[in-house]
């Protein structure tokens, strides 16, 4: 066919005349494309570039432009008749040059990205507090695993139940009777002496909640802050004991990684 004939003629032409117009056209188009991209990169040079996209695009554009220009110069000139004599193919040499260039730029960019991620994880690890962990569906699950190992899972469960109970005060669809029943259930599970998941709280805090229990009837409106003293004590226990140890575990490191990687849900209080 015609394409095969043109290729065969190109291989055996030896002393064929140089088609100046085609090469110049290709050079002009390549220059315009490279100039447009480099101009755009120059305009955003002051913008934040966390993962180094500016460096990557700039480097690859410069390498590609240089390699293309080198090919357009060497191919028609054919120094030393290297191409005509079959010693070398300029296009292949340019491809090898590009491969070498990309093999330097791409690994560097990958290494830099991992370094940025590691730095972000360290920063996130320093900024994540106990309430952030408790408020995160993913974080509290990791923290619960740690608390099971420390035999104090009741603290996180008490925080969850009381927090949900307090939110019911702002939900008009929850009747007062249901809120009162939930209040009694929390007392029986976590606060009453000998409770299944009895939490460690001061006697004074226990007595104040028990006083509210004694006054609970169909007409008594349980105040929203009835558990606040108990909750504050439990959170303080976790913050000063369980949480610092949790931060030293692989569970915490995994959680931090999922936060940075966007896996799971994380809510900052």
């Amino acid at each position: 066919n015609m394409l095969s004939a043109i290729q065969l003629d190109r291989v055996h032409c030896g002393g064929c005349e140089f088609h100046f117009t085609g090469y110049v056209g290709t050079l002009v188009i390549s220059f315009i494309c490279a100039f447009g991209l480099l101009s755009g990169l120059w305009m955003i040079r002051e913008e934040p570039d966390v993962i180094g996209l500016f460096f990557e695009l700039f480097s690859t554009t410069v390498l590609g432009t240089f390699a293309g220009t080198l090919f357009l110069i060497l191919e028609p000139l054919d120094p030393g008749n290297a191409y005509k004599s079959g010693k070398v193919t300029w296009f292949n040499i340019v491809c090898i040059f590009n491969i070498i260039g990309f093999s330097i730029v791409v690994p560097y960019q990958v290494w830099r990205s991992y370094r940025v991620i590691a730095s972000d994880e360290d920063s996130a690890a320093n900024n994540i507090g106990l309430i952030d962990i408790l408020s995160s569906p993913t974080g509290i699950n990791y923290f619960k695993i740690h608390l099971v190992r420390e035999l104090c899972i009741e603290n996180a469960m008490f925080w969850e139940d009381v927090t949900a109970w307090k939110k019911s005060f702002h939900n008009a669809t929850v009747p007062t009777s249901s809120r009162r029943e939930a209040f009694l259930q929390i007392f029986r599970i976590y606060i009453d002496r000998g409770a299944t998941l009895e939490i460690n709280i001061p006697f004074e805090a226990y007595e104040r909640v028990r006083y509210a229990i004694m006054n609970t009837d169909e007409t008594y409106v349980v105040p929203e802050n009835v558990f606040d003293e108990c909750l504050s004590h439990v959170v303080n226990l976790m913050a000063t004991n369980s949480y610092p140890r949790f931060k030293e575990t692989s569970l915490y490191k995994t959680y931090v990684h999922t936060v940075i990687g966007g896996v799971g849900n994380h809510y900052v209080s």
Side-chain angles (χ1 to χ4, degrees), residues 89-164:
T89 301
W90 295 114
F91 180 74
N92 290 343
I93 287 181
V94 171
C95 288
I96 293 173
F97 174 82
N98 272 330
I99 291 173
I100 294 174
F102 279 103
S103 66
I104 295 173
V105 173
V106 174
Y108 172 78
Q109 180 64 10
V110 172
W111 171 79
R112 187 180 185 278
S113 298
Y114 276 107
R115 187 181 64 178
V116 169
I117 290 174
S119 175
D120 286 347
E121 288 184 359
D122 291 340
S123 177
N126 292 330
N127 292 327
I128 295 175
L130 173 62
I131 300 302
D132 297 323
I133 292 288
L134 294 174
S135 302
S136 163
T138 303
I140 195 170
N141 286 333
Y142 280 111
F143 190 44
K144 280 181 178 178
I145 296 173
H146 173 72
L147 294 179
V148 167
R149 295 172 180 174
E150 291 205 336
L151 304 178
C152 55
I153 183 64
E154 67 276 0
N155 291 331
M157 295 178 66
F158 176 73
W159 183 91
E160 279 186 305
D161 288 347
V162 171
T163 300

Side-chain angles (χ1 to χ4, degrees), residues 1-10:
N1 55 31
M2 183 178 294
L3 180 60
S4 299
I6 293 173
Q7 292 175 338
L8 184 63
D9 181 66
R10 177 70 182 88

Side-chain angles (χ1 to χ4, degrees), residues 22-23 36-37 43 95 132 170 172-173 218 220 225 228 230 264 266:
Y23 276 97
L37 182 55
M43 293 175 64
C95 288
D132 297 323
H170 307 282
T173 62
E218 294 185 359
Y220 178 72
N225 63 351
D228 282 4
C230 300
H266 174 69

Side-chain angles (χ1 to χ4, degrees), residues 154-216:
E154 67 276 0
N155 291 331
M157 295 178 66
F158 176 73
W159 183 91
E160 279 186 305
D161 288 347
V162 171
T163 300
W165 180 78
K166 289 169 70 70
K167 287 180 180 179
S168 70
F169 281 84
H170 307 282
N171 187 348
T173 62
V174 178
T176 303
S177 58
S178 297
R179 192 178 300 119
R180 187 183 300 111
E181 286 299 320
F183 162 70
L184 294 173
Q185 185 177 10
I186 290 174
F187 177 81
R188 288 193 295 265
I189 294 175
Y190 299 105
I191 298 177
D192 198 12
R193 295 311 185 211
T196 307
L197 295 172
E198 185 178 356
I199 57 175
N200 183 12
I201 57 175
F203 178 76
E204 294 78 9
Y206 164 76
E207 282 294 312
R208 291 187 183 92
V209 178
R210 192 172 72 88
Y211 177 80
I213 290 289
M214 294 172 59
N215 289 279
T216 300

